[in-house]
Amino acid sequence: MTLKKLVAGNWKMHGVSADLAEVSAIAEAAKERLSVDVALCLPAILIERAVRAVPGFTIGGQDVHFAPKGAHTGCVSAEMLVDAGATLTIVGHSERRDAQREADADVKAKAEAALASGLSVILCVGESLHVRDSGSAVPTVDTQLAASLPADPHGALAVAYEPIWAIGTGKIPSVDDIAEMHAALRQRLISTYGEAGAQVRILYGGSVKASNAAEIFAIRDVDGALVGGASLKADDFLPIVDAAARI
Ligand code: PGA
């Protein structure tokens, strides 16, 4: 089955007011590329201004707390993201799993809180270089996904396979390795959710660029991309969206 592709940018800790011009350029171009869903996950503090600048375009957060409110200094709740106009959030990015010591159970709780608030979710999983080299990438990531999945996908869940060693490094797995991983994740989604698991988009993330996007999007069960560095500028990001539109 072919799912509509989703190309989402993750700006990480990049972007100030002046960069809203890039958001506008990307959102304008997305209007002419209706065969692809396009989104930008921005720093929380930019979300509301971006939503005002580009109404109707999908703006997301990069993380969400699992609690509805409380004494969690520096954190953002699902209700806050919705209130700011976001319709999507990333959870479980490896930079948070590593630096903030987020466990699979935390990621699952975050996904459930976000989905319950009406947000769409991109849930990230991926292996370290050590695990890849040891030959156990597929069972490791499958176990991570199984423990991170929300109880109900609410028709609004996407998964992003992001090998940690491919993020920001310019390295990507082979086509066969991406295909093998995405097939395993698809099986896990179907065994967990039944038919609904076939509708969950599985994105690839890690050093996606204009030069490799077409090859990646042609792989079976690659339903889009989560793009970091190459999402910061419309000139870098839009060719990736175009590659998805051409598949
Ligand atoms: P990258 O980041 O495209 O800069 O490798 C991807 C990500 O971390 O989502």
Side-chain angles (χ1 to χ4, degrees):
M1 181 188 317
T2 309
L3 302 177
K4 186 176 183 185
K5 293 211 173 359
L6 166 62
V7 179
N10 172 13
W11 275 25
K12 309 190 179 184
M13 201 170 72
H14 299 281
V16 294
S17 312
D19 300 300
L20 289 170
E22 297 295 333
V23 176
S24 297
I26 289 166
E28 264 313 300
K31 284 186 197 159
E32 276 137 42
R33 290 154 171 92
L34 294 175
S35 63
V36 181
D37 287 329
V38 183
L40 288 174
C41 296
L42 300 178
I45 201 163
L46 269 187
I47 290 174
E48 189 163 358
R49 277 173 287 165
V51 168
R52 285 184 202 279
V54 292
F57 179 73
T58 303
I59 298 289
Q62 300 171 6
D63 179 50
V64 65
H65 201 279
F66 49 75
K69 58 179 65 163
H72 303 291
T73 302
C75 297
V76 172
S77 72
E79 185 190 358
M80 291 171 186
L81 286 178
V82 171
D83 188 50
T87 54
L88 167 72
T89 188
I90 297 170
V91 298
H93 192 281
S94 61
E95 286 155 17
R96 294 202 59 89
R97 288 179 183 263
D98 284 356
Q100 319 297 326
R101 303 200 196 297
E102 289 181 7
D104 294 335
D106 300 319
V107 175
K108 174 178 177 162
K110 285 168 180 246
E112 289 181 344
L115 290 164
S117 295
L119 293 165
S120 296
V121 165
I122 298 174
L123 190 167
C124 303
V125 290
E127 82 283 0
S128 65
L129 187 57
H130 171 73
V131 167
R132 172 57 64 183
D133 287 345
S134 74
S136 54
V138 170
T140 300
V141 176
D142 179 45
T143 302
Q144 192 185 29
L145 182 65
S148 304
L149 283 175
D152 181 344
H154 290 267
L157 177 69
V159 166
Y161 167 53
E162 297 208 305
I164 298 168
W165 52 273
I167 294 175
T169 59
K171 295 182 195 150
I172 59 167
S174 70
V175 165
D176 287 349
D177 285 345
I178 295 175
E180 181 188 30
M181 184 66 78
H182 280 235
L185 300 184
R186 175 64 67 208
Q187 275 315 111
R188 170 61 56 190
L189 289 164
I190 290 171
S191 69
T192 306
Y193 299 132
E195 256 314 288
Q199 305 295 329
V200 175
R201 290 185 282 203
I202 307 176
L203 317 182
Y204 169 79
S207 295
V208 177
K209 305 185 190 45
S211 56
N212 58 25
E215 184 183 33
I216 292 169
F217 291 140
I219 302 171
R220 193 184 153 91
D221 275 320
V222 173
D223 308 310
L226 183 56
V227 183
S231 70
L232 295 172
K233 299 279 178 212
D235 286 350
D236 295 329
F237 191 55
L238 292 174
I240 298 173
V241 177
D242 284 337
R246 279 195 295 271
I247 295 296

